[in-house]
Amino acid sequence: MSAPPPYTPGFPQPGGYPPPGPGGYPQPGYVGPVQQPVVAQDQWMAIPRGIPNCPPGLEYLTMVDQLLVQQRVELLEAFTGFETNNKYVVKNSMGQKIYFAAEDTDCLTRNCCGPMRPFDMKIFDNGQNEVIHLYRPLACSSCCCPCCLQSVEVSSPPGTLIGTVNQEWSICAPSYAIRNASGDTMLRIEGPICTYSICGDVEFQVLSADGQTEVGKISKQWSGLAKEAFTDADNFGITFPLDLDVRMKAVMLGACFLIDFMFFEKSGNQERDRPGMF
């Protein structure tokens, strides 16, 4: 009596191996299973080399047209409402980490001024080098005070101004100008009239300098009911043209942080979203 075949004809063998052909070799035309690349959760993006006329640390931005900004959940703040320094991880579209951002503000300022507080934000690369520095002065955000609106100064390397984000006076919807170090408007950002995040994303359009063409967007992404209700840890997506100047990409990152503080940062775990700019 002959021994049974080591596999059942018509069915794949265990382990994904093909049925053997004559002589024990795989049958002609067999294509093995395709292995998808897996990106480790804490993997850092490799730094590009040889980028001319690029501030050190911004080389990463030459290779991306999308950034994911994830705010870390602070348990002390979630359970007590005690305001702590915000921390963020900036990733590319593959989930590789590019930067780590940490707010540097004293306890009194955080808990007295809340989301309106001035802050310094330090942004580090994978070598723990500060490559971008953000400074937000104390100012108003209401349309009732058009002479003292919100702004963020972006420096890279720290101490060298590369651009600013300036809130523009408006009544119904938030509006910002992205400016270079010379003060020239390079891009504009227009937000929605209502910034309530109810089971969906909130999108801010990034427009050309004349405001006629959409070139990207900053999206506050829905994080799930529990996270939205009990924390102020938000997720954002930023898209822009791949060939945009890396300095303006860094300034757009600063705009994302300003938008987070103005519209999505809670005070004592209480929602502050409101329609319009009043």
Side-chain angles (χ1 to χ4, degrees), residues 12 46 50 55 85 97 151 202 239 246 273:
N85 278 319
K97 291 194 290 188
S151 65
V202 181
T239 59
V246 292
D273 295 343

Side-chain angles (χ1 to χ4, degrees), residues 111-126:
N111 289 278
C112 289
C113 299
M116 298 303 299
R117 62 186 179 266
F119 65 72
D120 288 276
M121 185 82 69
K122 298 179 179 180
I123 302 178
F124 303 90
D125 64 7
N126 62 355

Side-chain angles (χ1 to χ4, degrees), residues 245-265:
D245 186 345
V246 292
R247 295 168 180 82
M248 293 302 100
K249 292 181 181 181
V251 177
M252 282 190 60
L253 181 59
C256 177
F257 290 128
L258 179 61
I259 289 171
D260 181 29
F261 273 82
M262 288 185 63
F263 298 102
F264 306 109
E265 181 78 0

Side-chain angles (χ1 to χ4, degrees), residues 10 39 45 48 69 81 105 122 141 145 147 155 188 251 256 268:
V39 178
M45 178 180 175
V69 182
T105 309
K122 298 179 179 180
S141 63
C145 303
C147 60
S155 301
R188 296 187 181 277
V251 177
C256 177

Side-chain angles (χ1 to χ4, degrees), residues 152-200:
V152 164
E153 298 175 1
V154 184
S155 301
S156 181
T160 302
L161 182 70
I162 60 172
T164 60
V165 184
N166 297 89
Q167 182 189 4
E168 297 185 319
W169 186 82
S170 62
I171 296 178
C172 295
S175 178
Y176 303 88
I178 301 291
R179 296 172 180 165
N180 61 16
S182 301
D184 303 318
T185 298
M186 308 301 292
L187 298 169
R188 296 187 181 277
I189 299 176
E190 300 289 343
I193 295 177
C194 181
T195 58
Y196 282 98
S197 180
I198 304 176
C199 300

Side-chain angles (χ1 to χ4, degrees), residues 34 63 68 77 80 86 95 154 167 192 208:
V34 178
M63 308 297 293
L68 305 176
E77 184 173 336
T80 67
N86 287 0
V154 184
Q167 182 189 4
S208 57

